[in-house]
Amino acid sequence: MLTFLALASVVLLGIVPEQSQAIVIYTGWERHGLVGSDIRLSCSFFSWRWTSEDVTFSWTYRPDGSRDSISIFHYTSGVAYVDNKGPFRDRLEFVGNPGRRDGSILLKNLDFNDNGTFTCDAKNPPDIVGRPSSVRLLVFEKVPIQAGVITGAIIGVVLGLLVLIVVIYYLMRFLVARRVFSLSVSKHGKKKKEGSQQRQGPVPPAEPSKVKAAASEKKKQESRKDKK
Ligand SMILES: *[C@@H]1O[C@H](CO)[C@@H](O)[C@H](O)[C@H]1NC(C)=O
């Protein structure tokens, strides 16, 4: 029983002396930036222990097409060191918060040649074993062509649909208006005829031109009815 308690307390308090455990380091997977802009590359880690006073972060950079990585940043004992020779000597700023396990860096004024792989390693002594994590940086001159083409296609389709809807709308309005118009015309004509027959008993001799016109109108109406 006593041994069990002792063992349990050791396990619970996590005071297994000098035994290090693995930590897990996270960065993004891929980041895209535009020439001249700034970009934040984040790095954090997971560890079972409290964050150590001696937490360290280090970043290396491997340009695309190169085999060698160069160290560009190191944080240790509360001090941040930026490489003073490499491509990021004046363009790198530490924006992390080591107490919160954040080892992020800010790359400023991105250059077209900054394409490459950035690798972050972190240690939280005595947890010092972890696989460094890498993030790929792609720098674009403007909007990426692929994205531009896709965006253009989407805009084109949307505009096309809008035009189609407008055309259909006006076509429908035109057709409805024509039907209503023809209906009102035929009603109007009928009423006039009935009224004239009731009120005026003996129809006074109409002028020949008017009679002709009325006849032609009647013919027209009849031909329309036939068509329908
Ligand atoms: C960086 O990567 C982008 C995307 O793949 C590419 O368009 C650009 O040409 C690359 N820059 C250089 C200098 O290779």
Side-chain angles (χ1 to χ4, degrees):
M1 186 64 187
L2 262 178
T3 30
F4 173 74
L5 271 179
L7 240 162
S9 64
V10 163
V11 168
L12 279 175
L13 292 172
I15 50 170
V16 186
E18 299 308 318
Q19 191 185 329
S20 78
Q21 285 167 292
I23 69 174
V24 184
I25 301 157
Y26 305 99
T27 61
W29 170 248
E30 193 173 279
R31 295 298 310 272
H32 295 181
L34 294 181
V35 169
S37 69
D38 300 349
I39 199 162
R40 180 192 173 109
L41 301 180
S42 53
C43 175
S44 58
F45 65 84
F46 172 83
S47 159
W48 288 104
R49 270 175 228 272
W50 295 108
T51 311
S52 159
E53 296 263 290
D54 296 321
V55 63
T56 68
F57 290 99
S58 56
W59 281 92
T60 59
Y61 168 63
R62 187 173 62 79
D64 272 1
S66 166
R67 287 194 170 196
D68 303 317
S69 294
I70 53 171
S71 180
I72 55 171
F73 177 80
H74 193 67
Y75 176 94
T76 186
S77 311
V79 185
Y81 300 93
V82 177
D83 167 46
N84 57 12
K85 293 196 297 288
F88 300 104
R89 59 183 177 278
D90 301 318
R91 301 191 287 134
L92 193 154
E93 192 182 313
F94 181 55
V95 291
N97 184 347
R100 294 182 158 227
R101 308 184 167 192
D102 178 0
S104 304
I105 54 172
L106 183 74
L107 301 181
K108 294 186 270 190
N109 191 16
L110 284 182
D111 191 87
F112 195 58
N113 294 311
D114 289 344
N115 282 0
T117 306
F118 293 79
T119 303
C120 175
D121 195 7
K123 300 194 190 309
N124 186 31
D127 291 352
I128 53 168
V129 180
R131 209 147 62 93
S133 177
S134 295
V135 55
R136 231 174 99 66
L137 175 68
L138 297 175
V139 181
F140 294 96
E141 205 122 37
K142 280 183 229 132
V143 180
I145 295 166
Q146 196 73 18
V149 166
I150 292 166
T151 311
I154 290 170
I155 290 172
V157 167
V158 168
L159 278 182
L161 279 176
L162 276 178
V163 167
L164 199 69
I165 287 168
V166 167
V167 165
I168 288 174
Y169 173 73
Y170 277 105
L171 201 67
M172 296 294 280
R173 258 185 67 162
F174 174 67
L175 287 177
V176 167
R178 242 181 62 162
R179 266 193 76 165
V180 168
F181 177 69
S182 66
L183 275 175
S184 74
V185 161
S186 61
K187 264 188 196 166
H188 201 68
K190 267 181 196 169
K191 265 184 194 165
K192 228 182 182 177
K193 245 190 251 165
E194 284 163 11
S196 64
Q197 276 174 359
Q198 277 173 3
R199 250 185 277 142
Q200 307 163 342
V203 182
E207 291 168 43
S209 66
K210 271 189 184 172
V211 172
K212 263 187 191 170
S216 70
E217 188 63 33
K218 239 187 185 174
K219 265 186 194 167
K220 268 185 196 168
Q221 274 184 14
E222 272 167 8
S223 71
R224 254 186 231 159
K225 272 178 197 164
D226 289 348
K227 272 180 192 169
K228 276 177 192 170

